[in-house]
Amino acid sequence: MSERALQIGLAGLGTVGTGVYETLCRNRELLQARTGIPFRVKRVAVRDIHRKRDVEIDPELLTADWRDLVEDPEIDIVIELIGGTEEAHRLVEEALRAHKPVVTGNKALLAEFGGELFRLSAETKTPLYFEASCGGGIPIIQSLQSSLVCNYVRRIAGIINGTSNYILSSMERKGVSFEEALAAAQRKGYAEADPTLDVNGWDAAHKALILAMLAYGTPLSPENISVYGIERVTPTDFRFARELGYNIKLLVVIRHHGERNALELRVQPSFVSHKHMLSNVYGVFNAIAVHGDIVGETIFYGRGAGKNPTASAVIGDVMLAMRDCRHPEHHSGFHPYTKQLSLLPQEETVTPYYVRFHVADKPGVIATIAAELARYDIGISGTMSSARREDGEGEDTCDLVFMLHACPWGKLCEALRALRVHEGIGPHPAVFRIETLNEEA
Ligand code: HSE
């Protein structure tokens, strides 16, 4: 290999940045043999150049200013792994303007500024790669863009936040508390610097927006999408779910309603039947079920977070970017190809539900709930109850579970509001959607 080595600028040496740097060093021969392109990491931008690091790195490579990467005419490719949106936005924008292909894993950045950045990428004819932004080590982005390219995507359903899946799995399987499980996910490097986004569903929502953009050809805005996190999932609901033949998973569901040119995009903890593969995805693993009109159902499975799986995705993109540098006439990044889709209002989305009421254990309670549900035309497919217990104030109470037939979310909310006035029925029932993920999408 006598041609000039391509020069890489890496911005960010946190968990994933370290994994990328280590792997580029460790598997250099393999990468060069497979691509036929020699490369080297020329500069690494970090916040603090004096900090002690877990990786051995020549201090000469370090700089505290990412502009040193963007402004260096010798650097061919920039990897953005600094996280956050403000600084990262500037970095990606300036790198694209400098005609340097960019590789990023920053889902929040793409969810917020994807539209603008992909336009800039097209204008400057400089690709922006983002495999690591969704599903950790799972090659879902390339699959949607390349392997599944001939399909109209009917539906995507998936578990795409490793931290919340790790927490739910630990709660369900080991009876570990929410706080303990979150602390373990943080120690393992799965959680974001601020784990709020992992827990409240927004990290999954950002990734869902990216998947929707790829599947339907246009960036979408995070406004008005329906996002619920795992904060209110309790051991009680896990127990009922198991008895009823379900697991509880933080699920994203993206469904195209062609007749209305609208997209249903939701993130929420949902009941998933034990019969479906998604119910058996545990720990940090993610899984994404894509239903295409030609291919039918496909399921992508792998580690959704962590240093090395995410580094694997980043480096896959770096190799694509290197090919682009060698063949600049070919731009293999994302090209928007459709007009804006509207979002289906949440009230109009339809699924069956599990609703658990905490009630006074006295005659007539079941009848009251059933009557109110009937008034809103909501059918009941089954009921279940817990053993009676004393509530500490001398009253006997129990949990009453209603499994409801499919109805619009808006209608269910109206019925639940109406039930609040009835004495003996707790005002805040636990509500979960039941996702029917059958072959027909
Ligand atoms: N915090 C994210 C997760 C990292 O837990 O899935 C990977 O995007």
Side-chain angles (χ1 to χ4, degrees), residues 141-167:
I141 304 292
Q142 275 301 311
S143 299
L144 282 170
Q145 283 194 273
S146 306
S147 317
L148 298 178
V149 71
C150 76
N151 288 267
Y152 281 103
V153 176
R154 301 271 190 245
R155 187 256 290 135
I156 297 178
I159 296 165
I160 51 176
N161 180 267
T163 302
S164 57
N165 200 48
Y166 182 88
I167 295 172

PDB file of all heavy atoms in Angstrom, residues 141-167:
ATOM      1  N   ILE A 141     -28.758   1.008  10.697  1.00  0.00           N
ATOM      2  CA  ILE A 141     -28.832   2.182   9.803  1.00  0.00           C
ATOM      3  C   ILE A 141     -28.475   1.756   8.369  1.00  0.00           C
ATOM      4  O   ILE A 141     -29.209   2.039   7.424  1.00  0.00           O
ATOM      5  CB  ILE A 141     -27.870   3.298  10.299  1.00  0.00           C
ATOM      6  CG1 ILE A 141     -28.173   3.675  11.754  1.00  0.00           C
ATOM      7  CG2 ILE A 141     -27.875   4.502   9.371  1.00  0.00           C
ATOM      8  CD1 ILE A 141     -29.471   4.369  11.997  1.00  0.00           C
ATOM      9  N   GLN A 142     -27.354   1.073   8.244  1.00  0.00           N
ATOM     10  CA  GLN A 142     -26.948   0.604   6.917  1.00  0.00           C
ATOM     11  C   GLN A 142     -27.985  -0.361   6.352  1.00  0.00           C
ATOM     12  O   GLN A 142     -28.239  -0.380   5.158  1.00  0.00           O
ATOM     13  CB  GLN A 142     -25.582  -0.085   6.988  1.00  0.00           C
ATOM     14  CG  GLN A 142     -24.419   0.875   6.894  1.00  0.00           C
ATOM     15  CD  GLN A 142     -24.435   1.676   5.594  1.00  0.00           C
ATOM     16  OE1 GLN A 142     -24.573   1.129   4.512  1.00  0.00           O
ATOM     17  NE2 GLN A 142     -24.320   2.985   5.713  1.00  0.00           N
ATOM     18  N   SER A 143     -28.563  -1.184   7.225  1.00  0.00           N
ATOM     19  CA  SER A 143     -29.549  -2.155   6.734  1.00  0.00           C
ATOM     20  C   SER A 143     -30.746  -1.426   6.142  1.00  0.00           C
ATOM     21  O   SER A 143     -31.239  -1.789   5.077  1.00  0.00           O
ATOM     22  CB  SER A 143     -30.010  -3.075   7.862  1.00  0.00           C
ATOM     23  OG  SER A 143     -28.896  -3.771   8.357  1.00  0.00           O
ATOM     24  N   LEU A 144     -31.225  -0.386   6.850  1.00  0.00           N
ATOM     25  CA  LEU A 144     -32.380   0.348   6.322  1.00  0.00           C
ATOM     26  C   LEU A 144     -32.014   1.092   5.036  1.00  0.00           C
ATOM     27  O   LEU A 144     -32.815   1.212   4.128  1.00  0.00           O
ATOM     28  CB  LEU A 144     -32.909   1.343   7.364  1.00  0.00           C
ATOM     29  CG  LEU A 144     -33.749   0.734   8.488  1.00  0.00           C
ATOM     30  CD1 LEU A 144     -34.017   1.766   9.585  1.00  0.00           C
ATOM     31  CD2 LEU A 144     -35.078   0.205   7.964  1.00  0.00           C
ATOM     32  N   GLN A 145     -30.788   1.599   4.985  1.00  0.00           N
ATOM     33  CA  GLN A 145     -30.398   2.395   3.819  1.00  0.00           C
ATOM     34  C   GLN A 145     -30.008   1.553   2.608  1.00  0.00           C
ATOM     35  O   GLN A 145     -30.143   2.003   1.493  1.00  0.00           O
ATOM     36  CB  GLN A 145     -29.211   3.288   4.175  1.00  0.00           C
ATOM     37  CG  GLN A 145     -29.620   4.493   4.983  1.00  0.00           C
ATOM     38  CD  GLN A 145     -28.500   5.513   5.032  1.00  0.00           C
ATOM     39  OE1 GLN A 145     -27.647   5.416   5.896  1.00  0.00           O
ATOM     40  NE2 GLN A 145     -28.483   6.438   4.124  1.00  0.00           N
ATOM     41  N   SER A 146     -29.482   0.358   2.885  1.00  0.00           N
ATOM     42  CA  SER A 146     -28.961  -0.427   1.761  1.00  0.00           C
ATOM     43  C   SER A 146     -29.689  -1.751   1.578  1.00  0.00           C
ATOM     44  O   SER A 146     -30.422  -1.933   0.613  1.00  0.00           O
ATOM     45  CB  SER A 146     -27.470  -0.717   1.970  1.00  0.00           C
ATOM     46  OG  SER A 146     -26.791   0.476   2.199  1.00  0.00           O
ATOM     47  N   SER A 147     -29.527  -2.646   2.536  1.00  0.00           N
ATOM     48  CA  SER A 147     -30.019  -4.013   2.323  1.00  0.00           C
ATOM     49  C   SER A 147     -31.533  -4.061   2.138  1.00  0.00           C
ATOM     50  O   SER A 147     -32.040  -4.898   1.402  1.00  0.00           O
ATOM     51  CB  SER A 147     -29.624  -4.905   3.494  1.00  0.00           C
ATOM     52  OG  SER A 147     -28.300  -4.649   3.854  1.00  0.00           O
ATOM     53  N   LEU A 148     -32.253  -3.179   2.829  1.00  0.00           N
ATOM     54  CA  LEU A 148     -33.723  -3.234   2.750  1.00  0.00           C
ATOM     55  C   LEU A 148     -34.284  -2.161   1.819  1.00  0.00           C
ATOM     56  O   LEU A 148     -35.470  -1.819   1.894  1.00  0.00           O
ATOM     57  CB  LEU A 148     -34.317  -3.066   4.167  1.00  0.00           C
ATOM     58  CG  LEU A 148     -33.937  -4.135   5.185  1.00  0.00           C
ATOM     59  CD1 LEU A 148     -34.546  -3.823   6.553  1.00  0.00           C
ATOM     60  CD2 LEU A 148     -34.408  -5.520   4.725  1.00  0.00           C
ATOM     61  N   VAL A 149     -33.441  -1.639   0.960  1.00  0.00           N
ATOM     62  CA  VAL A 149     -33.801  -0.443   0.194  1.00  0.00           C
ATOM     63  C   VAL A 149     -35.044  -0.613  -0.686  1.00  0.00           C
ATOM     64  O   VAL A 149     -35.757   0.344  -0.959  1.00  0.00           O
ATOM     65  CB  VAL A 149     -32.572   0.048  -0.623  1.00  0.00           C
ATOM     66  CG1 VAL A 149     -32.244  -0.882  -1.771  1.00  0.00           C
ATOM     67  CG2 VAL A 149     -32.739   1.478  -1.085  1.00  0.00           C
ATOM     68  N   CYS A 150     -35.365  -1.838  -1.084  1.00  0.00           N
ATOM     69  CA  CYS A 150     -36.510  -2.004  -1.995  1.00  0.00           C
ATOM     70  C   CYS A 150     -37.843  -2.089  -1.253  1.00  0.00           C
ATOM     71  O   CYS A 150     -38.887  -2.239  -1.872  1.00  0.00           O
ATOM     72  CB  CYS A 150     -36.328  -3.253  -2.866  1.00  0.00           C
ATOM     73  SG  CYS A 150     -36.636  -4.781  -1.979  1.00  0.00           S
ATOM     74  N   ASN A 151     -37.823  -1.968   0.060  1.00  0.00           N
ATOM     75  CA  ASN A 151     -39.051  -2.180   0.831  1.00  0.00           C
ATOM     76  C   ASN A 151     -39.761  -0.887   1.225  1.00  0.00           C
ATOM     77  O   ASN A 151     -39.117   0.061   1.682  1.00  0.00           O
ATOM     78  CB  ASN A 151     -38.726  -2.904   2.145  1.00  0.00           C
ATOM     79  CG  ASN A 151     -38.371  -4.340   1.928  1.00  0.00           C
ATOM     80  OD1 ASN A 151     -39.235  -5.205   1.994  1.00  0.00           O
ATOM     81  ND2 ASN A 151     -37.104  -4.604   1.630  1.00  0.00           N
ATOM     82  N   TYR A 152     -41.087  -0.887   1.105  1.00  0.00           N
ATOM     83  CA  TYR A 152     -41.874   0.102   1.833  1.00  0.00           C
ATOM     84  C   TYR A 152     -41.968  -0.437   3.252  1.00  0.00           C
ATOM     85  O   TYR A 152     -42.387  -1.581   3.451  1.00  0.00           O
ATOM     86  CB  TYR A 152     -43.284   0.234   1.249  1.00  0.00           C
ATOM     87  CG  TYR A 152     -43.300   1.076  -0.010  1.00  0.00           C
ATOM     88  CD1 TYR A 152     -43.405   0.476  -1.260  1.00  0.00           C
ATOM     89  CD2 TYR A 152     -43.209   2.460   0.072  1.00  0.00           C
ATOM     90  CE1 TYR A 152     -43.409   1.251  -2.415  1.00  0.00           C
ATOM     91  CE2 TYR A 152     -43.208   3.238  -1.080  1.00  0.00           C
ATOM     92  CZ  TYR A 152     -43.308   2.624  -2.310  1.00  0.00           C
ATOM     93  OH  TYR A 152     -43.296   3.390  -3.447  1.00  0.00           O
ATOM     94  N   VAL A 153     -41.539   0.353   4.210  1.00  0.00           N
ATOM     95  CA  VAL A 153     -41.532  -0.147   5.594  1.00  0.00           C
ATOM     96  C   VAL A 153     -42.931   0.024   6.176  1.00  0.00           C
ATOM     97  O   VAL A 153     -43.461   1.126   6.235  1.00  0.00           O
ATOM     98  CB  VAL A 153     -40.476   0.600   6.441  1.00  0.00           C
ATOM     99  CG1 VAL A 153     -40.539   0.142   7.892  1.00  0.00           C
ATOM    100  CG2 VAL A 153     -39.083   0.373   5.860  1.00  0.00           C
ATOM    101  N   ARG A 154     -43.534  -1.081   6.551  1.00  0.00           N
ATOM    102  CA  ARG A 154     -44.890  -1.039   7.126  1.00  0.00           C
ATOM    103  C   ARG A 154     -44.842  -0.648   8.594  1.00  0.00           C
ATOM    104  O   ARG A 154     -45.692   0.075   9.083  1.00  0.00           O
ATOM    105  CB  ARG A 154     -45.525  -2.427   7.028  1.00  0.00           C
ATOM    106  CG  ARG A 154     -45.643  -2.953   5.629  1.00  0.00           C
ATOM    107  CD  ARG A 154     -46.976  -2.510   5.045  1.00  0.00           C
ATOM    108  NE  ARG A 154     -47.230  -3.188   3.790  1.00  0.00           N
ATOM    109  CZ  ARG A 154     -47.300  -2.566   2.617  1.00  0.00           C
ATOM    110  NH1 ARG A 154     -47.116  -1.268   2.540  1.00  0.00           N
ATOM    111  NH2 ARG A 154     -47.558  -3.250   1.517  1.00  0.00           N
ATOM    112  N   ARG A 155     -43.837  -1.222   9.295  1.00  0.00           N
ATOM    113  CA  ARG A 155     -43.804  -0.990  10.745  1.00  0.00           C
ATOM    114  C   ARG A 155     -42.413  -1.268  11.289  1.00  0.00           C
ATOM    115  O   ARG A 155     -41.707  -2.156  10.803  1.00  0.00           O
ATOM    116  CB  ARG A 155     -44.822  -1.937  11.396  1.00  0.00           C
ATOM    117  CG  ARG A 155     -45.062  -1.749  12.848  1.00  0.00           C
ATOM    118  CD  ARG A 155     -44.375  -2.828  13.684  1.00  0.00           C
ATOM    119  NE  ARG A 155     -44.949  -4.138  13.560  1.00  0.00           N
ATOM    120  CZ  ARG A 155     -44.221  -5.249  13.394  1.00  0.00           C
ATOM    121  NH1 ARG A 155     -42.903  -5.187  13.310  1.00  0.00           N
ATOM    122  NH2 ARG A 155     -44.806  -6.429  13.296  1.00  0.00           N
ATOM    123  N   ILE A 156     -42.005  -0.467  12.252  1.00  0.00           N
ATOM    124  CA  ILE A 156     -40.780  -0.765  12.999  1.00  0.00           C
ATOM    125  C   ILE A 156     -41.186  -0.818  14.466  1.00  0.00           C
ATOM    126  O   ILE A 156     -41.895   0.060  14.953  1.00  0.00           O
ATOM    127  CB  ILE A 156     -39.712   0.334  12.816  1.00  0.00           C
ATOM    128  CG1 ILE A 156     -39.273   0.424  11.342  1.00  0.00           C
ATOM    129  CG2 ILE A 156     -38.497   0.076  13.713  1.00  0.00           C
ATOM    130  CD1 ILE A 156     -38.258   1.519  11.051  1.00  0.00           C
ATOM    131  N   ALA A 157     -40.750  -1.868  15.161  1.00  0.00           N
ATOM    132  CA  ALA A 157     -41.006  -1.932  16.606  1.00  0.00           C
ATOM    133  C   ALA A 157     -39.715  -2.381  17.240  1.00  0.00           C
ATOM    134  O   ALA A 157     -39.060  -3.305  16.735  1.00  0.00           O
ATOM    135  CB  ALA A 157     -42.119  -2.922  16.910  1.00  0.00           C
ATOM    136  N   GLY A 158     -39.305  -1.732  18.308  1.00  0.00           N
ATOM    137  CA  GLY A 158     -38.028  -2.158  18.858  1.00  0.00           C
ATOM    138  C   GLY A 158     -37.752  -1.692  20.271  1.00  0.00           C
ATOM    139  O   GLY A 158     -38.428  -0.822  20.823  1.00  0.00           O
ATOM    140  N   ILE A 159     -36.732  -2.327  20.799  1.00  0.00           N
ATOM    141  CA  ILE A 159     -36.176  -1.964  22.102  1.00  0.00           C
ATOM    142  C   ILE A 159     -34.851  -1.291  21.760  1.00  0.00           C
ATOM    143  O   ILE A 159     -33.926  -1.959  21.289  1.00  0.00           O
ATOM    144  CB  ILE A 159     -35.950  -3.229  22.944  1.00  0.00           C
ATOM    145  CG1 ILE A 159     -37.293  -3.899  23.243  1.00  0.00           C
ATOM    146  CG2 ILE A 159     -35.181  -2.919  24.230  1.00  0.00           C
ATOM    147  CD1 ILE A 159     -37.166  -5.322  23.743  1.00  0.00           C
ATOM    148  N   ILE A 160     -34.773   0.035  21.934  1.00  0.00           N
ATOM    149  CA  ILE A 160     -33.569   0.722  21.455  1.00  0.00           C
ATOM    150  C   ILE A 160     -32.936   1.602  22.519  1.00  0.00           C
ATOM    151  O   ILE A 160     -32.213   2.531  22.199  1.00  0.00           O
ATOM    152  CB  ILE A 160     -33.823   1.511  20.143  1.00  0.00           C
ATOM    153  CG1 ILE A 160     -35.037   2.415  20.258  1.00  0.00           C
ATOM    154  CG2 ILE A 160     -33.965   0.565  18.973  1.00  0.00           C
ATOM    155  CD1 ILE A 160     -35.264   3.276  19.001  1.00  0.00           C
ATOM    156  N   ASN A 161     -33.198   1.278  23.774  1.00  0.00           N
ATOM    157  CA  ASN A 161     -32.409   1.924  24.829  1.00  0.00           C
ATOM    158  C   ASN A 161     -31.881   0.840  25.752  1.00  0.00           C
ATOM    159  O   ASN A 161     -32.651   0.164  26.450  1.00  0.00           O
ATOM    160  CB  ASN A 161     -33.244   2.948  25.602  1.00  0.00           C
ATOM    161  CG  ASN A 161     -32.414   3.610  26.695  1.00  0.00           C
ATOM    162  OD1 ASN A 161     -32.399   3.170  27.836  1.00  0.00           O
ATOM    163  ND2 ASN A 161     -31.655   4.629  26.331  1.00  0.00           N
ATOM    164  N   GLY A 162     -30.570   0.659  25.726  1.00  0.00           N
ATOM    165  CA  GLY A 162     -29.944  -0.420  26.488  1.00  0.00           C
ATOM    166  C   GLY A 162     -30.090  -0.228  27.988  1.00  0.00           C
ATOM    167  O   GLY A 162     -30.323  -1.195  28.728  1.00  0.00           O
ATOM    168  N   THR A 163     -29.964   1.017  28.428  1.00  0.00           N
ATOM    169  CA  THR A 163     -30.031   1.289  29.874  1.00  0.00           C
ATOM    170  C   THR A 163     -31.393   0.906  30.436  1.00  0.00           C
ATOM    171  O   THR A 163     -31.487   0.201  31.448  1.00  0.00           O
ATOM    172  CB  THR A 163     -29.761   2.790  30.125  1.00  0.00           C
ATOM    173  OG1 THR A 163     -28.474   3.102  29.593  1.00  0.00           O
ATOM    174  CG2 THR A 163     -29.822   3.133  31.593  1.00  0.00           C
ATOM    175  N   SER A 164     -32.457   1.351  29.781  1.00  0.00           N
ATOM    176  CA  SER A 164     -33.788   1.054  30.330  1.00  0.00           C
ATOM    177  C   SER A 164     -34.078  -0.438  30.211  1.00  0.00           C
ATOM    178  O   SER A 164     -34.719  -1.013  31.097  1.00  0.00           O
ATOM    179  CB  SER A 164     -34.865   1.888  29.664  1.00  0.00           C
ATOM    180  OG  SER A 164     -34.822   1.665  28.291  1.00  0.00           O
ATOM    181  N   ASN A 165     -33.588  -1.094  29.149  1.00  0.00           N
ATOM    182  CA  ASN A 165     -33.826  -2.534  29.052  1.00  0.00           C
ATOM    183  C   ASN A 165     -33.052  -3.280  30.142  1.00  0.00           C
ATOM    184  O   ASN A 165     -33.530  -4.256  30.709  1.00  0.00           O
ATOM    185  CB  ASN A 165     -33.452  -3.063  27.675  1.00  0.00           C
ATOM    186  CG  ASN A 165     -34.131  -4.384  27.391  1.00  0.00           C
ATOM    187  OD1 ASN A 165     -35.337  -4.520  27.595  1.00  0.00           O
ATOM    188  ND2 ASN A 165     -33.371  -5.376  26.967  1.00  0.00           N
ATOM    189  N   TYR A 166     -31.857  -2.774  30.431  1.00  0.00           N
ATOM    190  CA  TYR A 166     -31.056  -3.367  31.510  1.00  0.00           C
ATOM    191  C   TYR A 166     -31.798  -3.203  32.847  1.00  0.00           C
ATOM    192  O   TYR A 166     -31.888  -4.141  33.644  1.00  0.00           O
ATOM    193  CB  TYR A 166     -29.696  -2.664  31.552  1.00  0.00           C
ATOM    194  CG  TYR A 166     -28.752  -3.209  32.582  1.00  0.00           C
ATOM    195  CD1 TYR A 166     -27.904  -4.270  32.281  1.00  0.00           C
ATOM    196  CD2 TYR A 166     -28.720  -2.664  33.857  1.00  0.00           C
ATOM    197  CE1 TYR A 166     -27.049  -4.787  33.232  1.00  0.00           C
ATOM    198  CE2 TYR A 166     -27.868  -3.169  34.819  1.00  0.00           C
ATOM    199  CZ  TYR A 166     -27.034  -4.230  34.510  1.00  0.00           C
ATOM    200  OH  TYR A 166     -26.194  -4.731  35.461  1.00  0.00           O
ATOM    201  N   ILE A 167     -32.362  -2.015  33.072  1.00  0.00           N
ATOM    202  CA  ILE A 167     -33.075  -1.766  34.337  1.00  0.00           C
ATOM    203  C   ILE A 167     -34.326  -2.652  34.427  1.00  0.00           C
ATOM    204  O   ILE A 167     -34.550  -3.324  35.440  1.00  0.00           O
ATOM    205  CB  ILE A 167     -33.465  -0.264  34.459  1.00  0.00           C
ATOM    206  CG1 ILE A 167     -32.209   0.611  34.553  1.00  0.00           C
ATOM    207  CG2 ILE A 167     -34.375  -0.032  35.665  1.00  0.00           C
ATOM    208  CD1 ILE A 167     -32.476   2.105  34.478  1.00  0.00           C
TER     209      ILE A 167
END
